[in-house]
Amino acid sequence: MKFKVLSLGCVKILLLAKTASADQLLVPDQFQTIQSAVDAAAPGDEIVVAPGTYQPFAIDGKSITVRSGDITLPVVVDGQSTQRCLEVFNTSEPGVVIEGLSFVNGWNVIDSGTVRGGGVVVQDSHVELKDVVIENCRIERNGGPETPNSGGAGMFASGSVLNFERVRIDNNSALINDGWSSGSRLAGA
């Protein structure tokens, strides 16, 4: 709590002002997974992740920062070719900041309908990616008609505001109706 004293002639007024401060949540020191830190985070908090390999995570409706604790050592989020690495939904300004993380081996398969994002999916959100790598991610469809909103093996974004700084999206692939494509799809982003 912050205190401020004002002197008005011979009368002193003590003003109490609670200052809002963001917390720093440490993975794995305080939270074993990035997801558990995200779940505990309040808007404005910063999650600092130590170098290592971690499970995928999702952010829904929280403006937070998730960043590497040491940009010179890798923080890898590995989908293990069974799931997406990162999902961000319904996050308004100031938005989500992801810094210094690599998203690898993300995967998404849908039997029919729309296939979106094997590595990273962003929908209806403000997201800033800094020093991020998205690689070796895949999407696949096992049947059904192709839809215009399918795609984005590395990243799919829709209805979002994105800012990229030093982002590499590489070696991603999509198998849709027996035809390969790759990369990212930004629809209305």
Side-chain angles (χ1 to χ4, degrees):
M1 185 141 328
K2 195 174 195 178
F3 298 93
K4 191 170 186 179
V5 178
L6 292 177
S7 181
L8 300 171
C10 57
V11 178
K12 289 189 179 181
I13 301 172
L14 180 65
L15 299 176
L16 301 176
K18 186 174 182 182
T19 58
S21 64
D23 286 332
Q24 194 173 71
L25 292 76
L26 305 176
V27 176
D29 293 346
Q30 296 172 317
F31 297 89
Q32 188 173 12
T33 66
I34 298 172
Q35 187 63 61
S36 62
V38 168
D39 293 344
D45 284 352
E46 178 180 60
I47 298 169
V48 180
V49 184
T53 301
Y54 296 89
Q55 298 172 4
F57 62 100
I59 301 170
D60 192 351
K62 291 184 179 182
S63 290
I64 59 175
T65 296
V66 179
R67 70 170 179 85
S68 169
D70 183 347
I71 197 74
T72 64
L73 297 173
V75 172
V76 177
V77 177
D78 190 346
Q80 300 179 355
S81 298
T82 61
Q83 60 186 318
R84 290 179 181 136
C85 298
L86 172 64
E87 298 175 334
V88 181
F89 300 107
N90 309 310
T91 304
S92 58
E93 289 188 82
V96 171
V97 177
I98 305 291
E99 184 174 0
L101 277 66
S102 293
F103 299 96
V104 302
N105 303 321
W107 186 69
N108 185 20
V109 63
I110 297 200
D111 290 329
S112 63
T114 303
V115 180
R116 293 182 176 168
V120 175
V121 172
V122 177
Q123 290 187 311
D124 302 318
S125 296
H126 286 70
V127 175
E128 183 172 351
L129 301 175
K130 297 179 181 179
D131 300 307
V132 166
V133 175
I134 303 169
E135 65 183 356
N136 299 325
C137 299
R138 178 178 170 151
I139 58 172
E140 184 175 323
R141 183 196 324 271
N142 284 337
E146 185 171 346
T147 62
N149 289 325
S150 296
M155 180 176 188
F156 180 92
S158 176
S160 298
V161 176
L162 305 171
N163 183 28
F164 295 99
E165 291 182 33
R166 297 173 303 279
V167 174
R168 183 169 54 90
I169 302 172
D170 192 29
N171 198 33
N172 301 288
S173 59
L175 176 58
I176 299 175
N177 291 342
D178 297 323
W180 284 96
S181 66
S182 63
S184 297
R185 179 176 173 88
L186 308 176

